[in-house]
Amino acid sequence: MTTCTECGADVALHDDAEAGEIVDCTTCGAELEVIDVSPPVLEKAPELEEDWGE
Amino acid sequence: MAATPTGDVDVDTEAVSASIVGASGFAGGELLRLLAGHPEFELSQATSREYAGKSVGSVHPPLRGTDLRFSQPGDLESVDVLFTATPHGVTMEHIDDYQDAAELVVDLSADFRLDTEAQYDEWYDGHSCPEKLDVAQYALPEVNRENLAGADVIASGGCNATATILGLYPLAEAGILDGADVVVDVKVGSSEGGAGGGAASSHAERSGVVRPYAPTGHRHEAEIEQWLGQSVSFTCHAVDMVRGASATCHVFPDGPVSNGDLWKAYRGEYDDEPFVRMQAGGSGTYRYPEPKAVAGTNHAEVGFELDASNERVVVFSAIDNVVKGSAGQAVHAANVALGFEETAGLEFAGLHPVGSP
């Protein structure tokens, strides 16, 4: 178990999570990159620049 | 039945009987739909002058096959819980009769939402039964749960007010609204105008509009200010949806606010709420609250974004105006008042994909 860097909610990683993997926080929906797994460390994942057309 | 006796309604013995006054309108129809599928309630009567004698399914298609016909309001019988989905002014005129007929009255109109007669003088056309205002409890459990148990009269909130209050309440509780300037813009669907409709509601006129219908002075401001303890500048648009209310709230706080402050405020209020989903720019196609995502449900989506360069917090809130903004809120409040499971009868989580709500 670790913590979302955006909203502070608990984030549970699956057992075979690997560094570099992208997970999402079920509370706020933020995409998070797994930096390390032991102990688990998350950072906000780099966002794809997206043109929402608005 | 798992519930324990609460207030005057004996919920331990058998199904709790419920009737609806004004059941042919949109909110009344949603009440029928929700109560027909509720594990604790047993529908007794649904009144409608216009459709008396006809089956409820003849007016509300989802209820086709339901063995219940509309009754005349004058034939109302005693019942455990009476839901009133009548136009503004009716319940305040008949509240004594309704309370004689039922231990708990849950009103969906604006008649008992405000605390004082002076508010009704200012925002409505006065009140004919002001002595009962003290008795009534505002329905929205997210802000008034602790006062619902054992209530005799419950007043379901207005849809625009519900969307706005849910969006801003965590900021009010955290003190972030203290001294802040707040501008609220709500977009609503056509069902808010009710099943009756007028010239402006005909399909030809209503289709495609983005119509400011209450640029200033909307009556729901009174409810919003009552629950936030803060005046707001409120504008409402009628847009081309059937269901849905979407509030965009621009908050200019009096001091610096961080993203962490905002998450602490929102998670503190809503982490344990069964009907509030946070949607604050995370990931996926739907990054912020969206009426489509809650259509037909009792859920609210709430989210925000910090605009540091303009010292602004923009808050979004989306609900289904006829469910979370009316009938679902009423059933949720009745669940709380009677000690039922809060989510009983309200578990539907929505559809995806889905068209215009």
Side-chain angles (χ1 to χ4, degrees), chain B residues 62-194:
Chain B
L63 295 164
R64 284 178 183 148
T66 302
D67 187 20
L68 181 66
R69 294 182 180 278
F70 290 108
S71 310
Q72 286 286 356
D75 296 334
L76 191 65
E77 298 168 357
S78 292
V79 72
D80 292 321
V81 181
L82 185 64
F83 292 87
T84 53
T86 48
H88 174 67
V90 174
T91 300
M92 68 170 77
E93 288 292 335
H94 296 281
I95 186 61
D96 289 334
D97 296 336
Y98 294 160
Q99 287 197 280
D100 286 344
E103 300 292 349
L104 171 61
V105 175
V106 184
D107 181 42
L108 275 61
S109 81
D111 284 6
F112 289 94
R113 293 173 188 161
L114 303 180
D115 289 341
T116 66
E117 185 177 12
Q119 288 173 293
Y120 280 94
D121 289 338
E122 179 181 355
W123 293 95
Y124 292 86
D125 303 316
H127 202 287
S128 61
C129 193
E131 64 273 18
K132 290 286 172 70
L133 293 174
D134 285 343
V135 175
Q137 290 294 337
Y138 198 65
L140 193 62
E142 288 82 358
V143 302
N144 198 34
R145 178 177 281 105
E146 67 275 15
N147 292 314
L148 291 172
D152 294 325
V153 178
I154 292 174
S156 200
C159 51
N160 303 318
T162 295
T164 304
I165 291 168
L166 287 173
L168 295 176
Y169 187 70
L171 300 185
E173 287 294 287
I176 295 171
L177 289 192
D178 294 347
D181 291 323
V182 183
V183 178
V184 178
D185 182 8
V186 173
K187 294 95 177 170
V188 295
S190 57
S191 58
E192 186 184 77

Side-chain angles (χ1 to χ4, degrees), chain A residues 6-9 24 27-31 47 50 52, chain B residues 259 263 267 271 278-285 287:
Chain A
E6 287 299 290
C7 73
D24 66 309
T27 299
C28 71
E31 291 196 331
E47 268 191 77
E50 187 164 6
W52 289 76
Chain B
N259 223 29
W263 274 114
R267 290 194 56 220
D271 261 2
M278 291 301 302
Q279 194 68 24
S283 55
T285 302
R287 298 182 177 210

Side-chain angles (χ1 to χ4, degrees), chain A residues 1-5 8-13 23 32 34 36 39-42:
Chain A
M1 190 76 76
T2 184
T3 302
C4 174
T5 57
D10 289 339
V11 177
L13 297 178
V23 299
L32 304 163
V34 180
D36 205 342
V41 177
L42 301 175

Side-chain angles (χ1 to χ4, degrees), chain B residues 313-329:
Chain B
V313 180
V314 57
V315 176
F316 306 99
S317 171
I319 61 169
D320 182 315
N321 57 303
V322 210
V323 186
K324 184 64 176 173
S326 186
Q329 181 182 150

